[in-house]
Amino acid sequence: MDRISWNQYFMAQSHLLALRSTCTRLMVGATIVREKRIIAGGYNGSVSGSVHCIDEGCYVIDGHCVRTVHAEANALLQCAKFGVPTEGAEIYVTHFPCLQCCKQIIQAGIKTIYYAADYKNHPYALELFKDAGVETEKVELSAIALDTHFQEKEQYIKQLLEELQYQTNDDETYDALKAKANVLFDL
């Protein structure tokens, strides 16, 4: 069995963190790594103890949800809160950082940004990263590392099985397909 690469491993961590997001517009996760060790993680969500977007909707001003603290900022703040240095670290983010997060990442001394998806890549952010000597690299998460559509696939298989049950007279074939789906999806 082949192991996933370090980049795939840390990007998978970021995708797992994104699943904790409370923003309904975009789920983002970030993992800060130094010397192949995770030192912090964050996801986008409301200020601790405050109302969440999933509860009352996004609070949008000028096209941005102002209720949300971005994943990258939450990860950097976690380091600050616990006194963990970020100088020379790397960050793995599910989406290309916004301009404000770009500036925070540079100020924190992060040396490399790995991101899984382009997202409104601001030209000035790219310029700032280049000027600061911060490398950016796109690392798409392979389906092997983490299936972010598991729930949708599971629901789809359940629907297919229900439809098949009503349309088939072949109980043996149906039972075999259902057994296989139960093994794969723990239905």
PDB file of all heavy atoms in Angstrom, residues 130-153:
ATOM      1  N   LYS A 130       5.096  37.379  -3.763  1.00  0.00           N
ATOM      2  CA  LYS A 130       6.350  37.369  -4.529  1.00  0.00           C
ATOM      3  C   LYS A 130       7.373  38.306  -3.883  1.00  0.00           C
ATOM      4  O   LYS A 130       8.533  37.928  -3.676  1.00  0.00           O
ATOM      5  CB  LYS A 130       6.084  37.786  -5.973  1.00  0.00           C
ATOM      6  CG  LYS A 130       7.313  37.746  -6.840  1.00  0.00           C
ATOM      7  CD  LYS A 130       7.012  38.159  -8.267  1.00  0.00           C
ATOM      8  CE  LYS A 130       8.302  38.178  -9.071  1.00  0.00           C
ATOM      9  NZ  LYS A 130       8.110  38.757 -10.387  1.00  0.00           N
ATOM     10  N   ASP A 131       6.949  39.527  -3.555  1.00  0.00           N
ATOM     11  CA  ASP A 131       7.856  40.505  -2.958  1.00  0.00           C
ATOM     12  C   ASP A 131       8.392  40.043  -1.597  1.00  0.00           C
ATOM     13  O   ASP A 131       9.527  40.344  -1.240  1.00  0.00           O
ATOM     14  CB  ASP A 131       7.155  41.862  -2.787  1.00  0.00           C
ATOM     15  CG  ASP A 131       6.876  42.543  -4.119  1.00  0.00           C
ATOM     16  OD1 ASP A 131       7.418  42.097  -5.161  1.00  0.00           O
ATOM     17  OD2 ASP A 131       6.084  43.510  -4.121  1.00  0.00           O
ATOM     18  N   ALA A 132       7.569  39.291  -0.851  1.00  0.00           N
ATOM     19  CA  ALA A 132       7.973  38.816   0.475  1.00  0.00           C
ATOM     20  C   ALA A 132       8.732  37.494   0.415  1.00  0.00           C
ATOM     21  O   ALA A 132       9.191  36.993   1.444  1.00  0.00           O
ATOM     22  CB  ALA A 132       6.742  38.671   1.371  1.00  0.00           C
ATOM     23  N   GLY A 133       8.856  36.934  -0.783  1.00  0.00           N
ATOM     24  CA  GLY A 133       9.554  35.654  -0.921  1.00  0.00           C
ATOM     25  C   GLY A 133       8.745  34.469  -0.419  1.00  0.00           C
ATOM     26  O   GLY A 133       9.309  33.428  -0.078  1.00  0.00           O
ATOM     27  N   VAL A 134       7.431  34.618  -0.382  1.00  0.00           N
ATOM     28  CA  VAL A 134       6.550  33.528   0.043  1.00  0.00           C
ATOM     29  C   VAL A 134       6.159  32.723  -1.196  1.00  0.00           C
ATOM     30  O   VAL A 134       5.621  33.276  -2.154  1.00  0.00           O
ATOM     31  CB  VAL A 134       5.290  34.070   0.756  1.00  0.00           C
ATOM     32  CG1 VAL A 134       4.329  32.939   1.081  1.00  0.00           C
ATOM     33  CG2 VAL A 134       5.676  34.829   2.012  1.00  0.00           C
ATOM     34  N   GLU A 135       6.452  31.434  -1.156  1.00  0.00           N
ATOM     35  CA  GLU A 135       6.115  30.567  -2.279  1.00  0.00           C
ATOM     36  C   GLU A 135       4.662  30.134  -2.182  1.00  0.00           C
ATOM     37  O   GLU A 135       4.146  29.919  -1.081  1.00  0.00           O
ATOM     38  CB  GLU A 135       7.018  29.329  -2.287  1.00  0.00           C
ATOM     39  CG  GLU A 135       8.477  29.645  -2.526  1.00  0.00           C
ATOM     40  CD  GLU A 135       9.342  28.395  -2.527  1.00  0.00           C
ATOM     41  OE1 GLU A 135       8.852  27.326  -2.948  1.00  0.00           O
ATOM     42  OE2 GLU A 135      10.491  28.496  -2.091  1.00  0.00           O
ATOM     43  N   THR A 136       4.012  30.004  -3.329  1.00  0.00           N
ATOM     44  CA  THR A 136       2.651  29.474  -3.372  1.00  0.00           C
ATOM     45  C   THR A 136       2.649  28.262  -4.302  1.00  0.00           C
ATOM     46  O   THR A 136       3.309  28.276  -5.347  1.00  0.00           O
ATOM     47  CB  THR A 136       1.630  30.508  -3.881  1.00  0.00           C
ATOM     48  OG1 THR A 136       1.976  30.910  -5.198  1.00  0.00           O
ATOM     49  CG2 THR A 136       1.573  31.722  -2.968  1.00  0.00           C
ATOM     50  N   GLU A 137       1.935  27.233  -3.891  1.00  0.00           N
ATOM     51  CA  GLU A 137       1.864  26.022  -4.707  1.00  0.00           C
ATOM     52  C   GLU A 137       0.473  25.414  -4.587  1.00  0.00           C
ATOM     53  O   GLU A 137      -0.031  25.219  -3.476  1.00  0.00           O
ATOM     54  CB  GLU A 137       2.914  25.002  -4.245  1.00  0.00           C
ATOM     55  CG  GLU A 137       2.929  23.742  -5.077  1.00  0.00           C
ATOM     56  CD  GLU A 137       3.989  22.738  -4.612  1.00  0.00           C
ATOM     57  OE1 GLU A 137       5.041  23.164  -4.101  1.00  0.00           O
ATOM     58  OE2 GLU A 137       3.743  21.534  -4.781  1.00  0.00           O
ATOM     59  N   LYS A 138      -0.097  25.121  -5.738  1.00  0.00           N
ATOM     60  CA  LYS A 138      -1.408  24.480  -5.749  1.00  0.00           C
ATOM     61  C   LYS A 138      -1.224  22.982  -5.546  1.00  0.00           C
ATOM     62  O   LYS A 138      -0.433  22.345  -6.245  1.00  0.00           O
ATOM     63  CB  LYS A 138      -2.132  24.758  -7.067  1.00  0.00           C
ATOM     64  CG  LYS A 138      -3.563  24.317  -7.073  1.00  0.00           C
ATOM     65  CD  LYS A 138      -4.277  24.816  -8.310  1.00  0.00           C
ATOM     66  CE  LYS A 138      -5.755  24.487  -8.239  1.00  0.00           C
ATOM     67  NZ  LYS A 138      -6.483  25.038  -9.385  1.00  0.00           N
ATOM     68  N   VAL A 139      -1.927  22.440  -4.559  1.00  0.00           N
ATOM     69  CA  VAL A 139      -1.883  21.013  -4.246  1.00  0.00           C
ATOM     70  C   VAL A 139      -3.320  20.528  -4.186  1.00  0.00           C
ATOM     71  O   VAL A 139      -3.993  20.693  -3.178  1.00  0.00           O
ATOM     72  CB  VAL A 139      -1.184  20.737  -2.890  1.00  0.00           C
ATOM     73  CG1 VAL A 139      -1.234  19.255  -2.558  1.00  0.00           C
ATOM     74  CG2 VAL A 139       0.232  21.251  -2.879  1.00  0.00           C
ATOM     75  N   GLU A 140      -3.788  19.978  -5.282  1.00  0.00           N
ATOM     76  CA  GLU A 140      -5.156  19.487  -5.296  1.00  0.00           C
ATOM     77  C   GLU A 140      -5.222  18.202  -4.479  1.00  0.00           C
ATOM     78  O   GLU A 140      -4.341  17.358  -4.564  1.00  0.00           O
ATOM     79  CB  GLU A 140      -5.630  19.268  -6.725  1.00  0.00           C
ATOM     80  CG  GLU A 140      -5.730  20.576  -7.492  1.00  0.00           C
ATOM     81  CD  GLU A 140      -6.302  20.399  -8.883  1.00  0.00           C
ATOM     82  OE1 GLU A 140      -7.064  19.440  -9.105  1.00  0.00           O
ATOM     83  OE2 GLU A 140      -5.980  21.236  -9.735  1.00  0.00           O
ATOM     84  N   LEU A 141      -6.253  18.097  -3.687  1.00  0.00           N
ATOM     85  CA  LEU A 141      -6.429  16.927  -2.845  1.00  0.00           C
ATOM     86  C   LEU A 141      -6.980  15.786  -3.683  1.00  0.00           C
ATOM     87  O   LEU A 141      -8.003  15.927  -4.339  1.00  0.00           O
ATOM     88  CB  LEU A 141      -7.396  17.249  -1.696  1.00  0.00           C
ATOM     89  CG  LEU A 141      -7.608  16.145  -0.676  1.00  0.00           C
ATOM     90  CD1 LEU A 141      -6.300  15.848   0.058  1.00  0.00           C
ATOM     91  CD2 LEU A 141      -8.669  16.550   0.316  1.00  0.00           C
ATOM     92  N   SER A 142      -6.291  14.655  -3.658  1.00  0.00           N
ATOM     93  CA  SER A 142      -6.778  13.507  -4.421  1.00  0.00           C
ATOM     94  C   SER A 142      -7.942  12.861  -3.677  1.00  0.00           C
ATOM     95  O   SER A 142      -8.053  12.952  -2.456  1.00  0.00           O
ATOM     96  CB  SER A 142      -5.652  12.479  -4.624  1.00  0.00           C
ATOM     97  OG  SER A 142      -5.357  11.837  -3.409  1.00  0.00           O
ATOM     98  N   ALA A 143      -8.802  12.220  -4.426  1.00  0.00           N
ATOM     99  CA  ALA A 143      -9.964  11.557  -3.831  1.00  0.00           C
ATOM    100  C   ALA A 143      -9.533  10.474  -2.854  1.00  0.00           C
ATOM    101  O   ALA A 143     -10.259  10.148  -1.920  1.00  0.00           O
ATOM    102  CB  ALA A 143     -10.835  10.965  -4.937  1.00  0.00           C
ATOM    103  N   ILE A 144      -8.361   9.933  -3.058  1.00  0.00           N
ATOM    104  CA  ILE A 144      -7.863   8.889  -2.172  1.00  0.00           C
ATOM    105  C   ILE A 144      -7.612   9.441  -0.768  1.00  0.00           C
ATOM    106  O   ILE A 144      -7.882   8.795   0.228  1.00  0.00           O
ATOM    107  CB  ILE A 144      -6.560   8.273  -2.741  1.00  0.00           C
ATOM    108  CG1 ILE A 144      -6.869   7.528  -4.033  1.00  0.00           C
ATOM    109  CG2 ILE A 144      -5.893   7.358  -1.744  1.00  0.00           C
ATOM    110  CD1 ILE A 144      -5.645   7.101  -4.814  1.00  0.00           C
ATOM    111  N   ALA A 145      -7.121  10.667  -0.688  1.00  0.00           N
ATOM    112  CA  ALA A 145      -6.773  11.250   0.604  1.00  0.00           C
ATOM    113  C   ALA A 145      -8.006  11.588   1.434  1.00  0.00           C
ATOM    114  O   ALA A 145      -8.029  11.365   2.640  1.00  0.00           O
ATOM    115  CB  ALA A 145      -5.916  12.504   0.404  1.00  0.00           C
ATOM    116  N   LEU A 146      -9.034  12.124   0.799  1.00  0.00           N
ATOM    117  CA  LEU A 146     -10.228  12.514   1.543  1.00  0.00           C
ATOM    118  C   LEU A 146     -11.380  12.729   0.576  1.00  0.00           C
ATOM    119  O   LEU A 146     -11.251  13.488  -0.368  1.00  0.00           O
ATOM    120  CB  LEU A 146      -9.969  13.809   2.323  1.00  0.00           C
ATOM    121  CG  LEU A 146     -11.144  14.383   3.099  1.00  0.00           C
ATOM    122  CD1 LEU A 146     -11.508  13.487   4.271  1.00  0.00           C
ATOM    123  CD2 LEU A 146     -10.815  15.773   3.589  1.00  0.00           C
ATOM    124  N   ASP A 147     -12.467  12.066   0.829  1.00  0.00           N
ATOM    125  CA  ASP A 147     -13.646  12.228  -0.009  1.00  0.00           C
ATOM    126  C   ASP A 147     -14.554  13.266   0.623  1.00  0.00           C
ATOM    127  O   ASP A 147     -15.244  12.991   1.606  1.00  0.00           O
ATOM    128  CB  ASP A 147     -14.377  10.893  -0.159  1.00  0.00           C
ATOM    129  CG  ASP A 147     -15.542  10.965  -1.119  1.00  0.00           C
ATOM    130  OD1 ASP A 147     -15.867  12.075  -1.590  1.00  0.00           O
ATOM    131  OD2 ASP A 147     -16.135   9.913  -1.395  1.00  0.00           O
ATOM    132  N   THR A 148     -14.552  14.470   0.078  1.00  0.00           N
ATOM    133  CA  THR A 148     -15.356  15.555   0.647  1.00  0.00           C
ATOM    134  C   THR A 148     -16.812  15.489   0.224  1.00  0.00           C
ATOM    135  O   THR A 148     -17.617  16.292   0.666  1.00  0.00           O
ATOM    136  CB  THR A 148     -14.773  16.927   0.259  1.00  0.00           C
ATOM    137  OG1 THR A 148     -14.751  17.027  -1.162  1.00  0.00           O
ATOM    138  CG2 THR A 148     -13.378  17.111   0.832  1.00  0.00           C
ATOM    139  N   HIS A 149     -17.153  14.527  -0.635  1.00  0.00           N
ATOM    140  CA  HIS A 149     -18.540  14.384  -1.094  1.00  0.00           C
ATOM    141  C   HIS A 149     -19.168  13.083  -0.600  1.00  0.00           C
ATOM    142  O   HIS A 149     -20.124  12.578  -1.182  1.00  0.00           O
ATOM    143  CB  HIS A 149     -18.598  14.449  -2.623  1.00  0.00           C
ATOM    144  CG  HIS A 149     -18.087  15.742  -3.174  1.00  0.00           C
ATOM    145  ND1 HIS A 149     -18.797  16.914  -3.085  1.00  0.00           N
ATOM    146  CD2 HIS A 149     -16.916  16.043  -3.773  1.00  0.00           C
ATOM    147  CE1 HIS A 149     -18.088  17.878  -3.630  1.00  0.00           C
ATOM    148  NE2 HIS A 149     -16.949  17.390  -4.045  1.00  0.00           N
ATOM    149  N   PHE A 150     -18.621  12.532   0.479  1.00  0.00           N
ATOM    150  CA  PHE A 150     -19.088  11.247   0.980  1.00  0.00           C
ATOM    151  C   PHE A 150     -20.580  11.232   1.268  1.00  0.00           C
ATOM    152  O   PHE A 150     -21.294  10.311   0.882  1.00  0.00           O
ATOM    153  CB  PHE A 150     -18.310  10.860   2.241  1.00  0.00           C
ATOM    154  CG  PHE A 150     -18.812   9.600   2.876  1.00  0.00           C
ATOM    155  CD1 PHE A 150     -18.440   8.371   2.381  1.00  0.00           C
ATOM    156  CD2 PHE A 150     -19.691   9.640   3.952  1.00  0.00           C
ATOM    157  CE1 PHE A 150     -18.912   7.195   2.938  1.00  0.00           C
ATOM    158  CE2 PHE A 150     -20.171   8.474   4.520  1.00  0.00           C
ATOM    159  CZ  PHE A 150     -19.787   7.254   4.014  1.00  0.00           C
ATOM    160  N   GLN A 151     -21.084  12.245   1.935  1.00  0.00           N
ATOM    161  CA  GLN A 151     -22.499  12.256   2.313  1.00  0.00           C
ATOM    162  C   GLN A 151     -23.419  12.290   1.102  1.00  0.00           C
ATOM    163  O   GLN A 151     -24.429  11.597   1.064  1.00  0.00           O
ATOM    164  CB  GLN A 151     -22.789  13.429   3.249  1.00  0.00           C
ATOM    165  CG  GLN A 151     -22.135  13.245   4.606  1.00  0.00           C
ATOM    166  CD  GLN A 151     -22.273  14.469   5.488  1.00  0.00           C
ATOM    167  OE1 GLN A 151     -22.222  15.591   5.013  1.00  0.00           O
ATOM    168  NE2 GLN A 151     -22.439  14.239   6.785  1.00  0.00           N
ATOM    169  N   GLU A 152     -23.062  13.103   0.097  1.00  0.00           N
ATOM    170  CA  GLU A 152     -23.872  13.161  -1.110  1.00  0.00           C
ATOM    171  C   GLU A 152     -23.863  11.815  -1.843  1.00  0.00           C
ATOM    172  O   GLU A 152     -24.899  11.367  -2.334  1.00  0.00           O
ATOM    173  CB  GLU A 152     -23.371  14.248  -2.067  1.00  0.00           C
ATOM    174  CG  GLU A 152     -23.508  15.652  -1.531  1.00  0.00           C
ATOM    175  CD  GLU A 152     -22.229  16.168  -0.881  1.00  0.00           C
ATOM    176  OE1 GLU A 152     -21.444  15.367  -0.334  1.00  0.00           O
ATOM    177  OE2 GLU A 152     -22.018  17.378  -0.924  1.00  0.00           O
ATOM    178  N   LYS A 153     -22.710  11.166  -1.891  1.00  0.00           N
ATOM    179  CA  LYS A 153     -22.607   9.868  -2.553  1.00  0.00           C
ATOM    180  C   LYS A 153     -23.416   8.813  -1.802  1.00  0.00           C
ATOM    181  O   LYS A 153     -24.104   7.995  -2.422  1.00  0.00           O
ATOM    182  CB  LYS A 153     -21.145   9.437  -2.656  1.00  0.00           C
ATOM    183  CG  LYS A 153     -20.334  10.254  -3.627  1.00  0.00           C
ATOM    184  CD  LYS A 153     -18.890   9.830  -3.611  1.00  0.00           C
ATOM    185  CE  LYS A 153     -18.047  10.680  -4.531  1.00  0.00           C
ATOM    186  NZ  LYS A 153     -16.625  10.306  -4.473  1.00  0.00           N
TER     187      LYS A 153
END
